[in-house]
Amino acid sequence: QVQVEESGGGSEQAGGSLRLSCVVSGVNYSAYCMAWFRQVIGKEREAVAVISTRAGSTYYGDSVKGRFTISHDNAERTLYLQMSSLKPEDTAMYYCAAQIFWCSPASVAKRPEFFTYWGQGTQVTVSS
C-alpha cells in the first residue's frame, strides 16, 4: 500500500522560513513526478511546485518563484519544499502529491488529477 506522509508545517512570522518534507513508501520506483499543492478553504487547489525526479526539471507557481525551492533526495525517497520570505498569503494546507512515472512539470501543474497518491496535508500559517 502506497503511503504519502508530509511533515514540517507550522506557524511562522512573515519573512521567516519553513521546510516541508514528504516521504512516499510502499512502492519501488525509479522515477517519480512529485508536487506540492496548497489549498485555502473556499479556493481551488493550487500547484506550488512540481519536480520530475529523474530529469530534475521543475515548475514553480508565479506566487512562489524565487522564494520556494522544491527538491528530492533519491536515497531518502523524500521530497522537500524549502519556503523562504514567507508571506501571510502563503497560509494554506499544503499537500504532497506523487505519480509513479515521468512527467513534464509545467504540463501537469494545472492537472491535480494527474497525481494518484496524496498525503493528508500539513498546515502552514504565516502571521504578519
Side-chain angles (χ1 to χ4, degrees):
Q1 182 178 355
V2 178
Q3 291 186 319
V4 179
E5 185 171 0
E6 307 99 334
S7 61
S11 297
E12 183 60 74
Q13 290 188 334
S17 300
L18 285 172
R19 189 176 79 160
L20 306 183
S21 300
C22 171
V23 177
V24 180
S25 60
V27 62
N28 292 320
Y29 67 98
S30 60
Y32 258 158
C33 184
M34 301 187 75
W36 290 99
F37 286 79
R38 67 186 182 186
Q39 189 169 23
V40 176
I41 294 175
K43 294 187 177 181
E44 290 188 356
R45 192 165 291 193
E46 170 193 22
V48 176
V50 184
I51 186 168
S52 176
T53 62
R54 174 173 286 178
S57 52
T58 58
Y59 161 92
Y60 291 95
D62 288 341
S63 61
V64 305
K65 282 180 182 177
R67 300 189 299 120
F68 291 9
T69 302
I70 189 171
S71 62
H72 182 259
D73 185 320
N74 287 330
E76 297 294 329
R77 296 188 175 183
T78 302
L79 179 72
Y80 298 101
L81 184 69
Q82 179 65 48
M83 305 185 293
S84 302
S85 301
L86 284 165
K87 302 177 180 180
E89 50 264 43
D90 294 319
T91 296
M93 185 70 79
Y94 283 71
Y95 297 91
C96 175
Q99 181 54 285
I100 310 175
F101 49 79
W102 175 89
C103 72
S104 171
S107 69
V108 300
K110 304 295 186 183
R111 298 170 50 207
E113 67 275 10
F114 171 85
F115 297 91
T116 300
Y117 305 106
W118 290 82
Q120 294 299 306
T122 185
Q123 178 68 36
V124 171
T125 302
V126 183
S127 58
S128 58

